[in-house]
Amino acid sequence: MAKTKADLLQGSWVEAIATASGRPPGMVADFLDRHDLRAQSLIPRPVDLTVRRVAMSGAKQIEEETEPFDFAWDNLAPGLCLLGSGRNGRGKTALFGVMRWLLRGTDPDEIPSDVLGWIHQASMDFDLDGVPHRIAIDRRGGFHGTLTVTGAGGRTIFEVGDETHFASAVSDFMLRTLALEPVTSLNKDGKTVHHRWPALFGAFHIGTDYSALIGDAVPLVNRMMNMFAGFPHAVPVGQLTYVTSGLKMDADQEGQASRAVAEHAKARADRIRVELDALGAKATAGQSAAELLAAMRETSDELAVRFARLPGLRRALTEAQDAASAAKAEWNADRLALRHFQEDREASRIFRSMDPKCCPRCDQTFGAERKEREAADHSCLVCGEVTPDEDEAGKAEAKALLEANERASAQVNASAQEAEERARAAVDEAEARVSEQERKLAEVTARQKAASAGAADLTRRAVLEAMLADAETDSGAADSRPETDEAAIAKACDKVFRQRLRSEQEGIMEELQAEICALLQDFGVTNLTRVELNTTPHLFLRKGYQGRDRIAFGDASIGEKLRIKIAFIVALMKVGHRRGIGSHPGLLFIDTPGAQETADQDLAALARRLGSLCQEVPNLQIFVATKEFDIFDTAARPAIRLVATGDDMLW
């Protein structure tokens, strides 16, 4: 049953998704929890971010000369803050880079490495909804980064000791404070990538890359617009995109496996059909053939069971044989040790009983004096060494121990031999049973063949027809797989989320279109009649008589792209502040406007309108860095201008 638009807008998430998917609410809630799909609990409100002071110090190293510097840009306030110089290389890019470094948390690629090495310390004072903060880095002897609340009851928010932790800490703080969420996307390998604060910071900076309507990456434009416009359902819509991508990848893998099975089943079905076509007319089969067929299956099953037991019994026999061999070797070793002990003892007695008359080497006769000395101090007539006393008790104890070892190993050997015999008997019995079962199976098979000789074609046809039915079922399985619960819930989530997002976008998108169109007209875009902005978002300019000429953002001129990007971001700010929603903090950096093909009169129109915008939106702060500072000079208040003329440096 088709669900109406009203169905998707009524009730809680779980109720609407359960109704759209036909799945139980508990299953839907589990899906949402597992994939962390949730709407923002509160509609985001703009948090004003105003830069109050920028300072940096260090030492310039130009050739062999070192020039210390201590720079500060004080008394900054909402409005158009102008950073200008009459020539390049006066420090605009470096100062802008340091400001973005402190706010973004990542190293400024736009600053040349040698100039970056000059900067030893840098800090920025800024207000968040009127609460003063200071972020600072110190690169002397390493890296040290801090963020503190400097007002009443000041406190340290973080303090880190390397660039990586500094970037991570800034990202966490800004995302949390400005109520932003990381933006997820898929890379070319299909892996999910989480774009955090450095990527979202592109919504606060407009450089010279105009490929994306907001930020620097085209794939993130839709998520960034919805986030900064303050649509609560924008976050789950974006998250669901990557949840469904992951589910689709899983389904594709399962589909490939199912298709492989189906293709194999189709080939098998074709072979079975060929064999069926080759069979002759059906014959009749008696009851005995069916009974014998059942007996054959039963005997075959029993044979399989008995055959499966054989490997384990054979392994047990091998283990028993190994144990018996080891036990026998141990017994033989104990017997040999006992025999050697006994033989050594007998030999000792024999040699001790000898009475040598002369030296065995030189035939010199031993005299009576030497024999008396032998009797007195027990020294040997032959070698002269003192002969030890016979330790009969110790030898008796050693003999008893050897005899006990021999008896114990004999018992172990006997047990091991018995275990080997039992294991051998079990294997012999199992092999005999297998042989007997094989004989029975051969007998039953022969009887069955004989009994069904007249019904072979019928039996074979019945078997083939059953096999064909299975093969045809398998071949159609890939096309008839039911929709999984995950896929059904994901599809329903997409319907509910997008319908609710469209409901949130109604009215605001029209307001954004009107605001962008009015801004572009004030910025000097000629012949513009209206602007078309969809939720993708794609932006088109309508020009000429009754707006017949339709120009996409990507096809506009470089100068128009710059003004469109500015108008789009400023419109998000204005609508957000007017409605009290959205996440854009009202801070914007515009780098080198006029560096492309923008004419002076168009640049002047842009400057005037930016200046008046800052009066319309009191908390709006726009930093502009340009060589055309004279065009912007009247639009910026003197107190928040920093200009270097001629060969002067900004810092």
Side-chain angles (χ1 to χ4, degrees), residues 172-431:
D172 291 342
F173 173 76
M174 288 298 186
L175 290 177
R176 181 178 66 252
T177 303
L178 301 180
L180 301 176
E181 296 278 349
V183 177
T184 52
S185 66
L186 295 179
N187 62 17
K188 60 182 180 181
D189 298 325
K191 295 182 179 179
T192 301
V193 179
H194 297 279
H195 303 274
R196 296 176 59 79
W197 171 246
L200 300 182
F201 189 81
F204 313 138
H205 171 248
I206 299 176
T208 56
D209 180 2
Y210 305 146
S211 57
L213 188 58
I214 182 173
D216 304 317
V218 174
L220 308 184
V221 169
N222 179 269
R223 292 289 307 282
M224 290 176 70
M225 183 199 76
N226 288 329
M227 183 182 302
F228 288 114
F231 301 132
H233 281 82
V235 172
V237 166
Q239 290 175 320
L240 186 63
T241 300
Y242 303 102
V243 172
T244 54
S245 296
L247 294 176
K248 184 178 183 300
M249 290 175 62
D250 294 342
D252 288 343
Q253 292 176 354
E254 294 177 3
Q256 290 175 2
S258 297
R259 284 190 292 273
V261 171
E263 290 172 2
H264 177 73
K266 184 178 182 301
R268 181 158 51 94
D270 292 340
R271 292 195 298 270
I272 293 172
R273 292 191 187 94
V274 171
E275 189 173 351
L276 278 172
D277 292 342
L279 286 176
K282 294 181 180 179
T284 57
Q287 182 65 33
S288 60
E291 293 173 349
L292 287 170
L293 181 61
M296 184 176 67
R297 290 173 178 167
E298 182 179 352
T299 306
S300 177
D301 292 343
E302 180 65 23
L303 173 61
V305 171
R306 294 186 179 281
F307 193 79
R309 293 174 181 168
L310 268 177
L313 293 173
R314 286 171 177 159
R315 283 194 300 271
L317 174 58
T318 300
E319 294 171 357
Q321 288 173 333
D322 292 342
S325 297
K328 188 172 184 179
E330 182 70 19
W331 181 42
N332 287 336
D334 289 342
R335 292 167 61 195
L336 183 60
L338 178 60
R339 186 168 70 249
H340 285 170
F341 177 82
Q342 292 171 336
E343 290 174 351
D344 289 345
R345 191 171 184 186
E346 291 299 324
S348 177
R349 289 198 186 99
I350 292 172
F351 283 117
R352 285 179 180 276
S353 65
M354 291 181 178
D355 184 16
K357 302 298 183 182
C358 62
C359 176
R361 182 177 182 184
C362 62
D363 295 333
Q364 180 68 38
T365 304
F366 298 129
E369 180 183 351
R370 190 164 183 173
K371 287 189 176 184
E372 290 174 0
R373 189 168 61 248
E374 177 188 24
D377 56 14
H378 303 289
S379 60
C380 178
L381 280 174
V382 178
C383 64
E385 294 293 331
V386 177
T387 58
D389 295 333
E390 190 78 13
D391 185 6
E392 291 299 332
K395 290 183 178 182
E397 183 180 348
K399 180 182 178 183
L401 178 61
L402 291 172
E403 289 174 343
N405 289 344
E406 188 275 335
R407 287 193 300 274
S409 58
Q411 292 177 356
V412 172
N413 177 62
S415 299
Q417 302 303 323
E418 291 175 2
E420 179 185 0
E421 290 302 321
R422 289 195 299 273
R424 189 184 304 281
V427 170
D428 292 343
E429 181 183 1
E431 289 177 342

Side-chain angles (χ1 to χ4, degrees), residues 2 24 26 53 69 87 93 157 175 202 241 261 287-288 294 303 330 405 491 559 565 587-588 625 637:
R53 183 178 188 270
F69 69 91
R87 293 172 49 191
T93 299
I157 296 176
L175 290 177
T241 300
V261 171
Q287 182 65 33
S288 60
L303 173 61
E330 182 70 19
N405 289 344
K491 187 185 297 183
K565 283 178 69 74
L587 177 67
L588 181 61
R637 298 204 313 271

